[in-house]
Amino acid sequence: MPINVIEIFMNCLSRFFFVFIFFLSCTAKDQGFEYLIHGTVEGQEEGSLFLLETSRTGDVVEIPFKNGKFEYRSMARNVYGSALFLDYQFQKGFCHLVVEPGEIVLTINADSLPGSKILKGQYNLDYHKAQSAYMSRLPHLFEDKAEAEIKFRDWLIANQKEYFVIQAIAESEEYCDLLGLEVLEDIVLGVEDETMRNSRAYIELYSKWRSRKEKINVVNQPAFNFEFADLSGAVQSFETLSKNKITFVERSGSWCASSTAFSRSLKPVYDQYKDFGFEIITVVSESKRERWEKWMRKEDYPWVNLLELDDEVVEKKLNYSEMLFSDREPNYLVDASGVVKYRNLSVEQLEERLMEQFLPAQYASYLKQKWELPAGSQILDSLESIHSLEDLANKLGNKPFLLDCWATWCAPCLKEFQHKDTLMEVLKDNNMEMVYINFDDAKHEAKFLKHIKKYGLKGYHLRINDQLRASLFKNGFYGGLPHYSLVNTQGKAIEGQVYRPSQRELLYKQISEQQF
């Protein structure tokens, strides 16, 4: 397993606050259970704690505390992983928590929430024990990259009965095939405890396994015939909605600003192609119907909108949204015969596919214009990828160059482009080239090219890839954008991080003082 897969796994840990989940066998599953969270806060007399009900923005409960004491009593449909925090920026971290039946007692450290202690709540205690066991093994996973895959898989398989591991694998499945289908199947089907089978963690993992096992929405295969309710409450099937149409299916969120923005950006495309036989279906996974309805009234999307509520997931013990989509692939395009043709399209890519289908003459003209760049601009990796700064230097005939790492979504990057003309003169005087590395996802190719034209970026251009990213890190890149480097004739960064173009004289001095 490449080391970046393990890093993905760790990112999942911090993103979703993995927790060890249990469910008392005596609890009535359909009616849910009552729980009580209470305890003391050390280091702060008054204030509020915040409890996550779901990972969605807005699903947060405020728990006031006074004289260093707090108490919160509520009901839950099933056991789930949560967290307590003191502020929305997580300045003092967060404390993992399992919402479980009965009493949960904590001592909260107001200065550093990760240092808080669970005093009562067996399933919370078990979670923190499992987490500690994992963290104690983590450093060994990075000692030998060649053995990392074996060690990592062995640890997961050996602890597959732990709820911590079930949640971890479920989150990792959003990004990669962590264990392989056979091992994943053994783990999923090997869970006999009804407690786990009713938890949010297991339902999510089970749904993702079903999706992979049944090859749901695989490209060039028939699309899955899902059923969800619309705004009126009527159940709609995909086959009925998409019959004889080219249909774009997307996952959006009334609670998510980025997915809402994507859905909005589809409106011009829909208006352009709806009369040709094009349909959009937006599916939202939601905890609160009222929030979805309010969002629908505000956004007024003119296409089909469907809803899957968390309560329905609990009742069916199957999460259809997880079966259809992932964070990595939140949409797919189905042709008029009902076959999936593309997954994870940008708006620009969707528009290109529709133009190709419905307006072929316009598409041919568009393609020609798409690749027409300003005089003095050249795409270096149009035919083959460049995997290192050394490869890049060779491509340029071993000339030194200034490297500009940027992205179309990076506002500071775009602001720096206003200083490009004077900078190009300085580079010319020092016999240097200008190279731009773009960090957008590959699906945003059209947006990448439009920005080159919009800002008149003369010089050489290429797109980031994993190997090139690794080479940048070896040469002083720290991960943030914008980033600028001076690179010599052998492809080595002699100044791993230089001043920005807006810092004119400071940057020009750095350039002129180098001995390439």
Side-chain angles (χ1 to χ4, degrees):
M1 178 184 301
I3 202 69
N4 65 325
V5 174
I6 297 174
E7 291 171 352
I8 287 173
F9 180 85
M10 289 306 299
N11 286 338
C12 292
L13 278 173
S14 61
R15 181 173 67 88
F16 199 76
F17 317 137
F18 289 142
V19 289
F20 189 27
I21 303 171
F22 278 92
F23 196 33
L24 289 182
S25 59
C26 62
T27 304
K29 302 177 188 65
D30 292 337
Q31 286 73 33
F33 57 83
E34 184 177 24
Y35 64 93
L36 170 66
I37 304 173
H38 67 100
T40 58
V41 178
E42 296 179 344
Q44 188 172 332
E45 285 294 308
E46 295 186 7
S48 290
L49 294 169
F50 298 92
L51 173 72
L52 295 179
E53 291 185 302
T54 76
S55 60
R56 301 179 181 95
T57 301
D59 285 357
V60 178
V61 174
E62 183 176 1
I63 305 175
F65 61 89
K66 190 173 183 179
N67 298 323
K69 296 185 182 300
F70 64 92
E71 179 175 309
Y72 177 72
R73 187 186 303 271
S74 189
M75 298 287 295
R77 287 294 303 272
N78 60 356
V79 174
Y80 62 91
S82 181
L84 286 170
F85 55 98
L86 282 166
D87 64 277
Y88 288 98
Q89 285 73 43
F90 303 103
Q91 294 292 322
K92 297 182 179 181
F94 53 85
C95 174
H96 290 131
L97 189 73
V98 180
V99 173
E100 60 170 288
E103 188 178 15
I104 307 165
V105 185
L106 307 93
T107 298
I108 296 294
N109 185 333
D111 295 323
S112 178
L113 267 72
S116 302
K117 295 180 181 179
I118 302 290
L119 303 179
K120 187 175 181 180
Q122 188 58 50
Y123 312 125
N124 279 278
L125 291 168
D126 287 341
Y127 160 68
H128 283 276
K129 182 179 179 181
Q131 183 190 43
S132 296
Y134 172 75
M135 296 305 292
S136 68
R137 289 169 172 79
L138 184 62
H140 301 294
L141 298 177
F142 296 90
E143 289 177 355
D144 187 337
K145 292 183 180 181
E147 297 181 5
E149 178 178 1
I150 297 173
K151 289 181 178 180
F152 195 53
R153 286 168 58 91
D154 285 351
W155 187 88
L156 291 172
I157 294 169
N159 293 273
Q160 61 182 273
K161 293 184 179 180
E162 301 284 2
Y163 290 79
F164 177 89
V165 172
I166 292 296
Q167 179 70 72
I169 298 172
E171 287 300 310
S172 298
E173 283 292 313
E174 286 284 318
Y175 303 98
C176 62
D177 178 5
L178 188 64
L179 297 172
L181 184 58
E182 290 186 5
V183 175
L184 180 62
E185 182 169 327
D186 288 342
I187 291 175
V188 171
L189 298 184
V191 175
E192 298 177 353
D193 184 352
E194 195 66 15
T195 298
M196 182 186 288
R197 297 178 76 91
N198 287 289
S199 69
R200 287 187 189 175
Y202 181 82
I203 292 173
E204 179 181 348
L205 182 59
Y206 176 83
S207 302
K208 290 175 179 176
W209 165 72
R210 279 276 303 273
S211 180
R212 289 182 55 193
K213 178 74 173 178
E214 299 172 17
K215 298 181 179 179
I216 290 176
N217 289 339
V218 172
V219 172
N220 294 325
Q221 296 295 321
F224 182 74
N225 184 32
F226 58 76
E227 291 184 343
F228 294 117
D230 62 16
L231 192 58
S232 71
V235 175
Q236 304 284 354
S237 72
F238 174 76
E239 286 185 354
T240 301
L241 295 170
S242 64
K243 189 175 181 179
N244 298 324
K245 295 180 179 180
I246 291 180
T247 308
F248 183 71
V249 187
E250 63 141 358
R251 176 168 68 180
S252 193
S254 49
W255 41 270
C256 178
S258 60
S259 59
T260 295
F262 182 87
S263 298
R264 286 176 187 161
S265 67
L266 294 171
K267 288 185 177 181
V269 182
Y270 184 75
D271 290 341
Q272 173 73 20
Y273 294 101
K274 62 182 179 180
D275 293 334
F276 288 90
F278 172 60
E279 185 59 87
I280 295 177
I281 300 175
T282 293
V283 177
V284 170
S285 175
E286 200 23 302
S287 60
K288 302 174 182 177
R289 181 180 179 86
E290 297 78 13
R291 180 165 59 192
W292 178 67
E293 291 174 341
K294 180 179 179 181
W295 180 72
M296 289 288 299
R297 289 192 294 270
K298 177 183 178 182
E299 298 299 329
D300 193 27
Y301 298 124
W303 50 76
V304 179
N305 292 270
L306 304 176
L307 174 67
E308 181 178 44
L309 283 171
D310 288 354
D311 284 350
E312 297 170 356
V313 171
V314 174
E315 292 164 3
K316 296 177 182 177
K317 296 181 176 54
L318 195 62
N319 190 321
Y320 283 103
S321 296
E322 295 290 351
M323 295 175 70
L324 298 173
F325 311 102
S326 69
D327 288 350
R328 182 176 52 181
E329 296 183 326
N331 61 62
Y332 55 96
L333 184 67
V334 183
D335 68 14
S337 67
V339 173
V340 176
K341 302 305 294 184
Y342 301 96
R343 291 183 65 94
N344 192 30
L345 293 176
S346 66
V347 175
E348 293 82 7
Q349 287 176 317
L350 173 62
E351 191 166 14
E352 287 179 0
R353 300 288 71 81
L354 296 175
M355 191 188 308
E356 182 182 18
Q357 175 70 28
F358 297 123
L359 302 170
Q362 183 175 324
Y363 178 68
S365 176
Y366 162 81
L367 274 186
K368 182 179 179 181
Q369 295 177 3
K370 174 181 176 179
W371 290 98
E372 286 181 351
L373 298 178
S377 298
Q378 181 179 338
I379 305 296
L380 288 177
D381 57 347
S382 58
L383 299 178
E384 58 182 354
S385 297
I386 294 173
H387 294 149
S388 67
L389 292 184
E390 290 85 351
D391 291 346
L392 184 52
N394 291 335
K395 196 84 169 180
L396 297 178
N398 298 108
K399 292 184 66 175
F401 56 91
L402 174 67
L403 190 64
D404 182 338
C405 297
W406 70 288
T408 62
W409 44 262
C410 171
C413 301
L414 306 183
K415 187 176 181 180
E416 292 294 325
F417 290 157
Q418 63 183 297
H419 306 284
K420 67 183 186 308
D421 294 336
T422 305
L423 176 59
M424 290 297 291
E425 292 296 324
V426 173
L427 294 177
K428 182 178 180 181
D429 292 342
N430 286 272
N431 195 30
M432 294 181 64
E433 301 289 355
M434 184 72 208
V435 178
Y436 297 93
I437 298 182
N438 177 262
F439 276 63
D440 284 66
D441 290 340
K443 65 181 180 180
H444 295 300
E445 176 184 80
K447 186 183 294 185
F448 157 64
L449 295 171
K450 285 180 181 178
H451 275 66
I452 294 175
K453 300 174 189 178
K454 177 179 179 180
Y455 291 95
L457 302 181
K458 296 181 180 179
Y460 296 96
H461 298 268
L462 67 158
R463 312 290 296 280
I464 194 66
N465 56 58
D466 289 342
Q467 297 93 330
L468 183 56
R469 191 190 305 269
S471 179
L472 289 174
F473 274 108
K474 291 178 181 178
N475 283 272
F477 178 62
Y478 61 91
L481 297 179
H483 175 85
Y484 306 90
S485 296
L486 289 173
V487 184
N488 67 16
T489 57
Q490 286 75 47
K492 302 294 182 183
I494 52 178
E495 285 286 349
Q497 185 175 349
V498 297
Y499 289 106
R500 296 185 178 191
S502 57
Q503 299 169 294
R504 296 188 174 207
E505 299 305 323
L506 294 173
L507 174 59
Y508 303 161
K509 186 172 185 292
Q510 282 183 309
I511 293 172
S512 63
E513 289 179 347
Q514 297 304 321
Q515 298 296 320
F516 296 104

